[in-house]
Amino acid sequence: MFEATLVQRLSKLDAEDGPFTCLILAAAGLLRLDLQDRISQYLDSKQGGMLHAVGQGAIGVEIRKNDSVVAEMLNKIGHMQTTLACMAERVC
């Protein structure tokens, strides 16, 4: 479905009477579909002033209040430095 939607959007962009004059899309999706030739510019902190979303790439897990079994499992795979960095980003 993602591919069809992306192709439809690009078709609308390419159409002479299409509703779009430009599109902002995730580069990852275009690269995954071997459409890197459609990327004209990357927007990042140096080009376009775009910053990544706070906590991007972090996974949040919510568990029951007194579930010590799951809490122990999560403690084994958790990474305190990442947790603190995400919490600090959310405060700003």
Side-chain angles (χ1 to χ4, degrees):
M1 180 166 167
F2 174 76
E3 182 177 357
T5 302
L6 183 59
V7 171
Q8 288 171 350
R9 288 181 184 169
L10 290 172
S11 294
K12 288 180 181 181
L13 175 66
D14 295 338
E16 196 169 304
D17 61 344
F20 303 132
T21 55
C22 67
L23 288 173
I24 298 176
L25 302 166
L30 292 164
L31 295 171
R32 191 177 315 116
L33 297 172
D34 199 28
L35 295 171
Q36 59 272 5
D37 59 310
R38 299 302 305 255
I39 300 172
S40 61
Q41 181 178 355
Y42 287 91
L43 299 178
D44 57 22
S45 61
K46 295 180 180 99
Q47 301 174 4
M50 302 290 287
L51 299 174
H52 62 82
V54 173
Q56 184 174 344
I59 297 174
V61 179
E62 188 173 334
I63 63 172
R64 289 181 297 272
K65 186 176 183 178
N66 296 317
D67 194 335
S68 59
V69 173
V70 174
E72 183 58 34
M73 287 175 19
L74 293 174
N75 283 335
K76 291 179 183 177
I77 64 170
H79 187 255
M80 186 53 70
Q81 221 175 343
T82 300
T83 298
L84 294 174
C86 288
M87 290 171 68
E89 284 184 348
R90 292 195 59 84
V91 170
C92 295

